[in-house]
Amino acid sequence: MKKNIHLIVAILTLGLFILLPGANAETSLKLNMVSAPDSFRTANPDVVITNDSHYYATTGEMTSEMLLGTFNADAFWLYSSGIDYRSIMEKGYCLDLSGSEIIQNAIQNLYPVYANQCMKDGKIYAVPTGGQLDYWLINTDMLAEADMGDMEIPDTFPEFLDFVEVWNAHLEDDPGDIALCAMVFWDESDFNRVGGYTYYLVEYLLENHILQKSFAGEPLRFNEPAVVEMLKRCYQVGHELDLNDPAYNTNKSILGQGSGRFMAKDGSSFLCLRLNEDQPKLIEASLDLVAVNARTEHPELCIEMLEDVVQNNDLTDELLQKKRAFLYQNVDLVPSGRHDRNVATCQRFLDEVKKALTNENLSATDRYELEEELKWREEDLQEAIASEDDKWVVTQEQLDIYRSYTDYLYVPMPGVFNANGAEQAKVFEQLKARFVAGQMTAEELVAELDRIAQMIEMEGE
């Protein structure tokens, strides 16, 4: 009898255990556009990781799901060009990561501009995984080739328009084969459709105005005398330039658009397009972050994963090393496997020539040609050995130039006219095109832009 009672108790206990919440439950993490490091996967073999590749084009799309409770990713990707993650942090949708000493140390080692993006009110809500810069350059070597090497590099947008006027006058006297902005790789029909140089001058002006307003934390308004005046100058100068500049007949260019993790190394100067000297010099940076859902059922596991993200320093992963050099202040130079491969390739070619020269039956012509090849193969080998660009994933020169500009870096959040997928962004393009086509005046353009900006502000209140 006792035996039967014990058996019944054991069965009931087992049944109760099975019914307990979490008993024998599979631990799973759902990630949105985030890759878990291999080290985390190895340390947690029993954790099932799924990755949702749903792309959130706008902040509203993401926050709508968060508000409704249907956003069920444990950790998720945030990107400054499309998601206003400052507002997401502010609304409490991100888990506070400040309790992790590992994450704290990593954030402290970031360049300040990036560290600030990970924090809100002194608390850490995300860690960065990458980013890039977008900026304009003037090719000083190309200016010298055009016999205009004595021109001063513009420091404001009005000075830039002065520069363009001088360049246009130069083209009238000496057309040459150098363009202000060579467009041989662009779609000519699209360039003509939107108005050529005129459109792009207007675009540079308005985008820099928006950037400066964002940095200053001021309401976005365009109806300012200086902006109206520069719009009119863009229209005049751009149309004149469209008549003279050989944009489609050359690949030689004075202007260049930089996009990447590090600034150009030589032969170019940073082009500042601030509207006046009282405004700061800014270089627009974009940033990718990973945050943890404040509602996750596995906060400790998610924090462990993000700790692995910030500690991941695989020296064999050159892309990872470039991202770390972009984000973190104290990084060591990392040897590039490319250097050793190039040296090995040059050595192999040299050895093949040496072996061919041991053939006693070579004709005098063949021997002469091989001896000449031997000379330049030896030169190639020495150049490969000495090459600093190939020796390091990121060179000291690249780091030094990049660090000299870090005070200029600014990470803007998507706004009224530059949010991915926003209807206002499309309207912005249409309004610029209408102005360039002469269908509206500068005054009408800024008035319409202000009307849209004010309308969006009122909707957000």
Side-chain angles (χ1 to χ4, degrees):
M1 184 65 178
K2 282 185 178 181
K3 197 173 184 181
N4 290 337
I5 291 174
H6 290 162
L7 179 61
I8 292 171
V9 170
I11 293 173
L12 290 174
T13 302
L14 178 60
L16 180 62
F17 176 76
I18 292 173
L19 292 174
L20 284 173
N24 290 336
E26 185 179 73
T27 301
S28 62
L29 284 183
K30 185 175 182 180
L31 312 181
N32 175 250
M33 305 286 281
V34 174
S35 296
D38 290 341
S39 55
F40 176 79
R41 291 176 180 271
T42 301
N44 298 276
D46 297 331
V47 176
V48 177
I49 298 174
T50 58
N51 204 320
D52 179 8
S53 58
H54 177 73
Y55 172 74
Y56 290 91
T58 65
T59 310
E61 184 183 350
M62 179 177 282
T63 54
S64 292
E65 291 191 10
M66 289 175 165
L67 181 62
L68 295 172
T70 57
F71 185 84
N72 56 2
D74 293 287
F76 54 98
W77 175 51
L78 296 168
Y79 63 108
S80 62
S81 59
I83 303 294
D84 183 357
Y85 49 72
R86 308 297 295 175
S87 67
I88 290 178
M89 294 175 184
E90 190 175 65
K91 292 174 181 176
Y93 293 130
C94 299
L95 184 71
D96 183 2
L97 310 173
S98 308
S100 167
E101 186 176 347
I102 291 173
I103 291 176
Q104 279 189 22
N105 291 337
I107 298 302
Q108 289 172 4
N109 192 29
L110 293 170
Y111 286 102
V113 63
Y114 304 137
N116 291 338
Q117 298 302 303
C118 300
M119 305 176 70
K120 185 71 176 175
D121 298 328
K123 295 181 179 179
I124 302 170
Y125 290 107
V127 300
T129 58
Q132 70 171 36
L133 308 176
D134 288 292
Y135 53 93
W136 282 93
L137 295 166
I138 284 187
N139 190 321
T140 49
D141 289 347
M142 201 61 64
L143 269 179
E145 185 177 329
D147 294 327
M148 298 187 66
D150 57 345
M151 287 189 68
E152 291 189 10
I153 303 302
D155 196 46
T156 64
F157 200 90
E159 289 179 5
F160 173 61
L161 291 178
D162 293 341
F163 176 92
V164 175
E165 286 182 332
V166 173
W167 175 252
N168 193 46
H170 167 77
L171 290 176
E172 290 177 346
D173 296 334
D174 181 16
D177 64 343
I178 300 175
L180 179 68
C181 189
M183 299 174 186
V184 290
F185 301 111
W186 294 23
D187 184 337
E188 183 172 357
S189 61
D190 183 63
F191 180 74
N192 290 332
R193 177 179 61 80
V194 298
Y197 275 118
T198 312
Y199 181 89
Y200 291 107
L201 289 176
V202 169
E203 186 170 68
Y204 304 157
L205 169 62
L206 295 181
E207 286 184 349
N208 278 275
H209 178 66
I210 292 171
L211 190 68
Q212 289 288 344
K213 286 291 188 182
S214 173
F215 179 83
E218 298 175 354
L220 181 58
R221 298 293 182 270
F222 296 86
N223 195 1
E224 300 176 4
V227 175
V228 173
E229 180 62 29
M230 280 185 279
L231 278 170
K232 293 177 179 179
R233 285 192 68 192
C234 287
Y235 186 89
Q236 178 185 352
V237 172
H239 278 77
E240 292 173 353
L241 195 58
D242 285 334
L243 296 174
N244 299 315
D245 194 89
Y248 288 109
N249 301 318
T250 181
N251 60 2
K252 294 183 177 181
S253 184
I254 298 296
L255 295 186
Q257 189 169 19
S259 182
R261 295 182 183 88
F262 302 101
M263 309 289 286
K265 291 189 297 181
D266 50 35
S268 298
S269 291
F270 166 58
L271 174 61
C272 179
L273 294 176
R274 56 185 175 165
L275 275 62
N276 59 65
E277 292 182 347
D278 293 331
Q279 293 178 332
K281 296 181 179 181
L282 298 178
I283 296 176
E284 184 173 348
S286 60
L287 203 60
D288 295 324
L289 304 173
V290 179
V292 175
N293 191 339
R295 295 180 176 178
T296 181
E297 296 180 356
H298 309 289
E300 295 84 3
L301 207 55
C302 289
I303 290 174
E304 180 187 342
M305 184 183 72
L306 264 59
E307 288 176 343
D308 280 14
V309 168
V310 298
Q311 292 182 110
N312 188 7
N313 191 30
D314 183 358
L315 298 182
T316 65
D317 188 336
E318 293 198 0
L319 177 58
L320 173 65
Q321 292 303 321
K322 289 178 181 178
K323 290 179 178 179
R324 291 187 67 83
F326 175 82
L327 295 169
Y328 292 95
Q329 299 183 77
N330 302 313
V331 293
D332 296 323
L333 296 183
V334 176
S336 170
R338 185 175 62 256
H339 178 266
D340 291 342
R341 290 192 297 270
N342 289 345
V343 170
T345 298
C346 291
Q347 184 66 61
R348 186 177 74 253
F349 287 147
L350 179 62
D351 292 342
E352 289 173 357
V353 175
K354 288 180 177 179
K355 182 178 179 180
L357 282 169
T358 62
N359 184 353
E360 297 178 355
N361 298 322
L362 287 173
S363 66
T365 300
D366 289 344
R367 183 170 295 280
Y368 172 79
E369 291 179 351
L370 283 171
E371 287 174 346
E372 290 299 307
E373 182 179 353
L374 180 67
K375 293 177 184 177
W376 61 262
R377 290 291 186 190
E378 288 175 337
E379 291 175 359
D380 279 356
L381 177 60
Q382 293 308 312
E383 288 178 4
I385 292 172
S387 173
E388 288 296 317
D389 288 349
D390 288 333
K391 190 174 293 185
W392 310 103
V393 174
V394 179
T395 68
Q396 187 63 54
E397 182 185 12
Q398 285 177 300
L399 284 176
D400 290 343
I401 294 174
Y402 175 55
R403 288 166 178 166
S404 71
Y405 286 104
T406 52
D407 288 343
Y408 298 171
L409 302 184
Y410 172 59
V411 183
M413 293 295 97
V416 175
F417 295 110
N418 59 358
N420 290 342
E423 186 62 31
Q424 290 75 22
K426 300 175 185 176
V427 172
F428 189 38
E429 301 300 317
Q430 295 168 358
L431 290 174
K432 286 183 289 186
R434 286 182 58 196
F435 169 72
V436 169
Q439 297 173 3
M440 62 192 314
T441 65
E443 289 83 1
E444 290 170 336
L445 174 61
V446 297
E448 183 62 14
L449 292 175
D450 279 0
R451 185 191 69 79
I452 296 172
Q454 287 176 301
M455 180 184 67
I456 298 300
E457 286 177 9
M458 292 173 63
E459 290 178 354
E461 290 178 354

